[in-house]
């Protein structure tokens, strides 16, 4: 049984990654329904929480059906992160997660996210102060290091555990790699081989199929896997991996009726949470992902992304279902 503090996550949990502009409550809902064991909010700027910025505060919204869930924060100032952690904890999550992995320039080059990998004493101090401030468990998501010449993950894991961090997720790329190149999970195995490390270590990066999930589980020995991009438009990936672990057999891909059902559910939740205008607008990028591989889908997509109401989108989705339910191989 993998546990973070007193939070029981099963024998080999599958976690939904915190993804900016993706891992909002509507998306988390469909992932939870399809097998995600633990989820995280989009990352939230500490400065935004302290200033009561509307967009930052909205990201604190969590719901009972999502539990267990962690709220992820990022920032470069220790005192601001302490305050933000307290605000996040007040929203009632099971844990608070610190983002030490975001590679984008506007975050990392200011010393937040993966930028703190250039200052490990500050990382350790910041983590220690947040752990002291919070009653719920504090966890961290980070990367291997700044670049291939500065891979620090073994030292990072030890420092974080020493100050009370209760779980660590490792995206097995450097900051320099961004999201390119192959993730090097051998470093995750090296962390797991450290006799002094006893907190759960979750692996992240490149898991896009049940076969790869099982292969990496067996080869590198993480305590669980965090899935990000592979779940976009494919929330079924969690149950697919679980089924493959249990039986060695692959589940059939979701048929058109199931894709339409989940897509509509996602849309409705988006509108309920964000309001009609924003909810419909921010769903538009998801349609390409839900129907990736469908032949001749472009005309439908063009109509959906210009539709102005839930009813109009639903009518077009009904057309999609009718068109592709006549035995068309949608994955050609």
């Amino acid at each position: 049984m993998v546990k973070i503090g007193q939070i029981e996550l099963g024998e080999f949990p599958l976690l939904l990654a915190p993804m900016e502009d993706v891992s909002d409550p509507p998306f988390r809902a469909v992932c939870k329904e399809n097998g995600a064991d633990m989820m995280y909010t989009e990352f939230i700027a500490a400065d935004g929480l302290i200033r009561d910025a509307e967009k930052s505060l909205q990201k604190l919204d969590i719901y009972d059906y999502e539990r267990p869930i962690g709220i992820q924060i990022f920032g470069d100032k220790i005192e601001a992160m302490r305050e933000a952690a307290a605000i996040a904890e007040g929203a009632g999550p099971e844990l608070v997660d610190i983002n030490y992995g975001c590679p984008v320039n506007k975050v990392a080059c200011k010393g937040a996210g993966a930028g703190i990998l250039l200052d490990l004493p500050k990382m350790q101090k910041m983590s220690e102060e947040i752990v002291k401030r919070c009653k719920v468990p504090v966890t961290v998501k980070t990367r291997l290091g700044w670049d291939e010449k500065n891979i620090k993950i073994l030292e990072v894991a030890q420092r974080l555990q020493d100050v009370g961090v209760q779980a660590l997720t490792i995206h097995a790329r450097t900051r320099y790699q961004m999201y390119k190149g192959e993730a090097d999970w051998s470093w995750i195995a090296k962390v797991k081989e450290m006799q002094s490390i006893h907190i759960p270590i979750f692996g992240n990066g490149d898991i896009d199929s049940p076969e790869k999930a099982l292969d990496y589980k067996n080869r590198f020995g993480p305590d669980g896997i965090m899935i990000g991009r592979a779940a976009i438009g494919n929330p079924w990936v969690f149950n697919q991996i679980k089924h493959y672990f249990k039986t060695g057999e692959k589940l059939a891909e979701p048929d058109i009726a199931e894709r339409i059902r989940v897509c509509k559910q996602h849309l409705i939740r988006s509108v309920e949470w964000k309001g009609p205008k924003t909810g419909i607008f921010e769903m538009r990028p998801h349609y390409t992902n839900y129907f990736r591989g469908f032949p001749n889908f472009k005309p439908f997509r063009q109509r959906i992304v210009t539709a102005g109401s839930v009813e109009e989108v639903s009518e077009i989705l009904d057309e999609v279902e009718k068109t592709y339910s006549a035995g068309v191989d949608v994955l050609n």
Side-chain angles (χ1 to χ4, degrees), residues 163-213:
V163 298
V165 168
Q166 296 194 42
L168 176 63
T169 299
I170 302 170
H171 183 146
R173 288 183 173 88
T174 64
R175 185 270 168 178
Y176 181 79
Q177 284 181 274
M178 302 295 282
Y179 298 97
K180 299 176 182 178
E182 186 175 357
D184 185 357
W185 281 55
S186 68
W187 286 101
I188 294 174
K190 291 173 185 176
V191 173
K192 285 295 298 177
E193 290 165 3
M194 295 172 66
Q195 293 186 357
S196 60
I197 296 296
H198 54 76
I199 60 174
I201 303 296
F202 303 118
N204 175 232
D206 289 352
I207 299 299
D208 56 8
S209 70
E211 296 93 331
K212 184 173 280 189

Side-chain angles (χ1 to χ4, degrees), residues 3 7 10 26 52 60 64 77 91 128 137 140 171 198 220 232 234 240 248 273 295 298 304 324-325 332:
K3 296 175 68 176
I7 308 165
D52 292 334
L60 292 175
D64 285 342
K77 300 178 184 67
E128 182 178 26
V140 164
H171 183 146
H198 54 76
F220 303 113
I232 300 175
N234 184 31
Q240 289 171 342
W273 187 58
K298 186 176 180 180
I304 291 174
Y324 292 98
S325 62
N332 278 341

Side-chain angles (χ1 to χ4, degrees), residues 65-134:
Y65 61 76
E66 301 181 282
R67 299 184 185 281
I69 188 167
I71 292 177
Q72 190 186 75
I73 59 174
F74 77 97
D76 65 314
K77 300 178 184 67
I78 292 176
E79 183 56 34
M81 286 289 281
R82 285 183 76 256
E83 292 184 40
I87 295 169
E89 184 178 40
E94 274 65 39
L95 58 85
V96 172
D97 188 73
I98 311 171
N99 182 315
Y100 291 150
C102 180
V104 301
N105 287 339
K106 66 180 181 179
V107 174
C109 292
K110 293 181 179 178
I116 206 167
L117 291 167
L118 295 172
D119 189 347
L120 298 193
K122 180 179 178 180
M123 170 193 273
Q124 184 171 2
K125 181 63 175 176
M126 181 181 288
S127 304
E128 182 178 26
E129 290 300 315
I130 293 171
V131 168
K132 288 178 180 177
R133 186 64 182 81
C134 292

Side-chain angles (χ1 to χ4, degrees), residues 280 284 302-309 312-313 316:
I280 291 170
R284 289 174 179 173
Q302 290 173 333
R303 291 172 58 198
I304 291 174
V305 300
T306 57
S309 68
E312 189 178 355
V313 173
I316 298 170

Side-chain angles (χ1 to χ4, degrees), residues 102-328:
C102 180
V104 301
N105 287 339
K106 66 180 181 179
V107 174
C109 292
K110 293 181 179 178
I116 206 167
L117 291 167
L118 295 172
D119 189 347
L120 298 193
K122 180 179 178 180
M123 170 193 273
Q124 184 171 2
K125 181 63 175 176
M126 181 181 288
S127 304
E128 182 178 26
E129 290 300 315
I130 293 171
V131 168
K132 288 178 180 177
R133 186 64 182 81
C134 292
K135 293 182 175 63
V136 299
V138 174
T139 62
V140 164
K141 183 172 189 279
T142 190
R143 289 183 171 237
L144 301 179
W146 183 258
D147 56 32
E148 63 179 11
K149 295 180 180 179
N150 293 280
I151 292 179
K152 304 288 187 180
I153 192 59
L154 304 185
E155 181 181 353
V156 164
Q158 190 65 63
R159 283 176 177 262
L160 292 175
Q161 180 180 273
D162 287 349
V163 298
V165 168
Q166 296 194 42
L168 176 63
T169 299
I170 302 170
H171 183 146
R173 288 183 173 88
T174 64
R175 185 270 168 178
Y176 181 79
Q177 284 181 274
M178 302 295 282
Y179 298 97
K180 299 176 182 178
E182 186 175 357
D184 185 357
W185 281 55
S186 68
W187 286 101
I188 294 174
K190 291 173 185 176
V191 173
K192 285 295 298 177
E193 290 165 3
M194 295 172 66
Q195 293 186 357
S196 60
I197 296 296
H198 54 76
I199 60 174
I201 303 296
F202 303 118
N204 175 232
D206 289 352
I207 299 299
D208 56 8
S209 70
E211 296 93 331
K212 184 173 280 189
L214 183 59
D215 178 36
Y216 279 32
K217 173 180 182 287
N218 292 337
R219 277 205 287 157
F220 303 113
D223 295 294
I225 290 173
M226 179 177 281
I227 297 169
R229 288 173 290 171
I232 300 175
N234 184 31
W236 305 276
V237 67
F238 299 98
N239 278 335
Q240 289 171 342
I241 290 173
K242 290 180 176 180
H243 183 81
Y244 190 75
F245 281 2
K246 185 179 295 185
T247 68
E249 299 175 351
K250 291 190 69 173
L251 282 174
E253 290 293 326
D255 61 18
I256 185 62
E258 171 66 3
R259 289 176 183 272
I260 295 294
R261 183 189 70 81
V262 172
C263 186
K264 284 183 175 181
Q265 179 185 343
H266 191 170
L267 170 64
I268 290 168
R269 288 185 180 276
S270 182
V271 169
E272 288 175 346
W273 187 58
K274 302 173 184 178
K277 185 176 180 179
T278 303
I280 291 170
F281 178 78
E282 293 190 358
M283 265 300 292
R284 289 174 179 173
H286 288 283
Y287 299 119
T288 297
N289 295 303
Y290 273 116
F291 303 105
R292 185 184 293 114
F294 280 49
N296 303 314
F297 184 73
K298 186 176 180 180
F300 285 114
R301 186 188 66 79
Q302 290 173 333
R303 291 172 58 198
I304 291 174
V305 300
T306 57
S309 68
V310 171
E311 293 75 18
E312 189 178 355
V313 173
S314 294
E315 288 175 4
I316 298 170
L317 290 174
D318 289 341
E319 286 186 54
V320 172
E321 181 173 3
K322 184 176 181 180
T323 299
Y324 292 98
S325 62
V328 176

